[in-house]
Amino acid sequence: MKTFTNYIDGQWVAPSTGAYDENRNPGKPDEVLGMFASSAPADVSAAIDAAARAFGTWSAVPGPERAQILYRFADLLEQNRDELADILSREEGKILKEAHGEVTRARAETLFMAGEASRLTGEHMNSERPGVEVTRTRVPLGPIGVITPWNFPIVTPVRKISPALAYGDTVVFKPATLTPWCAVRLVELYEQAGLPAGVLNLVTGSGGAIGSVISGSPTIRGITFTGSTAVGKKIFRASVENFTKVQLEMGGKNAALVFDAENLSAAADQIVAAAFASSGQRCTAISRVVVGEAEHDELVRLMTARINEISVGDALEAETGIGPLVSAEQVSVMERYIEIAKKESVQIVTGGNRARSATGGYFFEPTLLTQVRPDSALAREEIFGPILSVLKVATFDEAVAVCNDTEYGLAGCVFTRLIANEKKFVQNVEAGMIHVNHGTASQAHVPFGGVKNSGFGAFSIGPTAKDFYTTDKIVYRM
């Protein structure tokens, strides 16, 4: 069985603890994928020190030269796409088609950010004093702490690491405990692309044991995090002591509003795809459908038919539509919400159970619930799995109010043929990303983020990345 170590200052080094954690295939829990470093605070401190030492040299490298490394990394992603997709499917449970798509998306985002390394500009500002020239430039922020989740263990790290490198920052990377294999392989490819020692550092292990070292470090000048709102709040509180800049991408309870839709069948296709892709384990997954009374029954019928066509099984099998959930704990979470549904007399239209598996994998049936009340936990809390709730409303204004009746504000979509409904939705729904007659898929060059308890700080992806990874410097010159 292979053992994987940390990557600090250009070297693969054993953790100071000497301890390693098993990593298992969620679809076949008896299959151990490898042993990964179980790190201690001392390991994180060593990684932070390495990033700090490398920052002065790396930040002085011309942007186009940094871009060449990212272009090489993008090429390596493509060359190793099949291997990366296989690792992702076996480690996280994402079906192979989606895993390939994730690698492709990571490459696309890297290519955009490589271009940004040459596009970073400043501005010449008019001076109120004759003979004094004023310029505004953007400079690298400093060592960056990158803390990533398990649900997109290829694209989310790349989304954070590639822009940091493009803009001249150095990185300390802490991946999710459940998906260290993807992280190790990514760092190997960044290393192969030609990164100097200390520019990118990887430390694996429990977030509780080592994450606080990153968020509490005065040396780390920025922390970019994707994960739960609860953990995001902890990171924010820890960062305040050192005035550390933060970029937090957190939970979602995204609604699809269906009212006077032009094509209910097309809406059902979009909703089911957005609800159950990645087994519903996406922050942008649709988890609520808010629908008018006149369209409710037909939409439920159409969605049920599509959901029943989704096959649950081995992530590596071509016919599989939903793979395993990432852990036994995630299955237990689904079962807890099904118990809530039963207690509240919610109708379980389809699904609602663990899916049978000869391998003992963590499978759960795609589930559709109706007669869900707006004040139910099913309608307000992030479930993060293959459970979709339907809420019936009488008016469009009521529908908008229901969409906003949650702590989250990441994404939302509306299916309607009426321009007045579209405008009202866009203007009044509290979300960072709005989709009209379209599911909740994002694009590789478009800013991504949320409001309320879904996001804090600069949006990631695209041109807004520089707002987090760089800072202003103003120069007065006579």
Side-chain angles (χ1 to χ4, degrees):
M1 186 184 305
K2 191 168 182 180
T3 298
F4 299 88
T5 58
N6 292 323
Y7 183 71
I8 299 174
D9 205 12
Q11 301 292 323
W12 292 95
V13 295
S16 61
T17 59
Y20 294 83
D21 296 323
E22 287 183 346
N23 188 31
R24 294 177 179 267
N25 181 339
K28 301 174 182 176
D30 289 339
E31 180 188 357
V32 179
L33 304 175
M35 303 294 293
F36 293 83
S38 180
S39 303
D43 301 305
V44 184
S45 295
I48 292 172
D49 290 344
R53 288 192 299 270
F55 175 70
T57 302
W58 178 247
S59 61
V61 173
E65 188 175 332
R66 297 194 297 263
Q68 289 306 311
I69 293 176
L70 291 177
Y71 284 128
R72 288 195 291 272
F73 173 70
D75 289 342
L76 289 168
L77 287 175
E78 178 59 28
Q79 293 165 20
N80 294 274
R81 185 163 62 94
D82 289 346
E83 178 202 1
L84 288 166
D86 179 78
I87 290 172
L88 173 52
S89 291
R90 293 170 64 194
E91 182 174 53
E92 191 264 345
K94 191 163 291 172
I95 62 172
L96 200 55
K97 178 182 177 181
E98 293 174 344
H100 276 280
E102 183 169 339
V103 178
T104 299
R105 174 61 178 265
R107 180 176 184 271
E109 292 193 21
T110 293
L111 289 173
F112 182 90
M113 292 314 308
E116 286 291 272
S118 299
R119 286 191 288 263
L120 190 62
T121 61
E123 62 178 330
H124 182 275
M125 305 181 71
N126 288 330
S127 174
E128 63 185 26
R129 295 174 56 196
V132 177
E133 182 181 78
V134 183
T135 58
R136 172 179 177 257
T137 60
R138 304 290 296 186
V139 298
L141 183 61
I144 302 292
V146 169
I147 304 175
T148 59
W150 48 259
N151 62 324
F152 283 91
I154 296 290
V155 74
T156 304
V158 168
R159 180 173 295 166
K160 298 175 182 299
I161 295 170
S162 287
L165 302 179
Y167 292 125
D169 299 318
T170 54
V171 173
V172 176
F173 173 28
K174 161 63 180 77
T177 308
L178 291 171
T179 51
W181 194 10
C182 289
V184 168
R185 193 68 187 103
L186 283 176
V187 171
E188 289 174 343
L189 295 182
Y190 275 114
E191 180 186 36
Q192 189 178 339
L195 277 183
V199 173
L200 173 60
N201 305 273
L202 168 70
V203 184
T204 63
S206 166
I210 62 178
S212 61
V213 182
I214 296 175
S215 56
S217 170
T219 303
I220 294 293
R221 298 316 309 141
I223 300 170
T224 175
F225 164 81
T226 298
S228 72
T229 298
V231 174
K233 288 180 177 180
K234 290 181 181 179
I235 290 171
F236 182 81
R237 285 193 291 267
S239 72
V240 170
E241 182 67 25
N242 297 304
F243 298 105
T244 305
K245 195 174 185 178
V246 294
Q247 179 188 58
L248 306 176
E249 297 174 356
M250 301 174 287
K253 190 64 179 176
N254 313 298
L257 195 165
V258 181
F259 213 99
D260 292 314
E262 183 171 5
N263 187 328
L264 270 185
S265 180
D269 288 340
Q270 292 272 353
I271 292 167
V272 170
F276 297 104
S278 300
S279 303
Q281 298 174 134
R282 298 190 307 145
C283 60
T284 54
I286 292 175
S287 60
R288 297 180 293 158
V289 178
V290 183
V291 58
E293 294 171 344
E295 293 157 293
H296 175 274
D297 292 352
E298 178 63 8
L299 181 63
V300 168
R301 185 189 69 79
L302 290 166
M303 291 193 299
T304 302
R306 285 153 178 76
I307 292 168
N308 287 338
E309 293 174 353
I310 300 173
S311 60
V312 180
D314 188 335
L316 296 175
E317 297 294 333
E319 67 273 12
T320 298
I322 284 184
L325 301 188
V326 75
S327 66
E329 180 183 4
Q330 284 299 108
V331 175
S332 296
V333 170
M334 299 307 109
E335 291 178 326
R336 180 168 64 83
Y337 281 105
I338 293 301
E339 287 304 310
I340 291 173
K342 292 176 180 178
K343 290 178 181 177
E344 296 180 354
S345 299
V346 165
Q347 182 180 2
I348 302 173
V349 179
T350 188
N353 301 292
R354 288 179 183 245
R356 293 181 180 179
S357 168
T359 64
Y362 310 132
F363 299 96
F364 199 85
E365 297 172 343
T367 300
L368 183 66
L369 308 176
T370 61
Q371 300 176 15
V372 177
R373 300 193 312 269
D375 61 350
S376 170
L378 299 165
R380 298 174 62 85
E381 296 179 4
E382 183 179 42
I383 296 175
F384 219 68
I387 296 177
L388 179 61
S389 298
V390 179
L391 296 85
K392 186 192 298 187
V393 294
T395 68
F396 193 83
D397 286 343
E398 180 190 358
V400 169
V402 169
C403 288
N404 287 335
D405 190 20
T406 175
E407 66 178 292
Y408 301 107
L410 186 57
C413 56
V414 60
F415 295 90
T416 186
R417 59 183 173 79
L418 300 180
I419 294 176
N421 286 350
E422 174 190 328
K423 288 183 176 179
K424 187 174 290 187
F425 187 88
V426 170
Q427 291 173 356
N428 295 294
V429 167
E430 299 162 350
M433 297 174 288
I434 297 293
H435 303 258
V436 179
N437 295 321
H438 180 266
T440 52
S442 61
Q443 297 184 17
H445 66 295
V446 179
F448 180 102
V451 298
K452 298 165 73 173
N453 281 358
S454 289
F456 183 86
F459 278 25
S460 65
I461 313 181
T464 54
K466 67 179 179 294
D467 297 333
F468 173 72
Y469 292 97
T470 68
T471 189
D472 279 312
K473 179 170 282 188
I474 309 299
V475 179
Y476 294 85
R477 180 182 292 109
M478 290 191 68

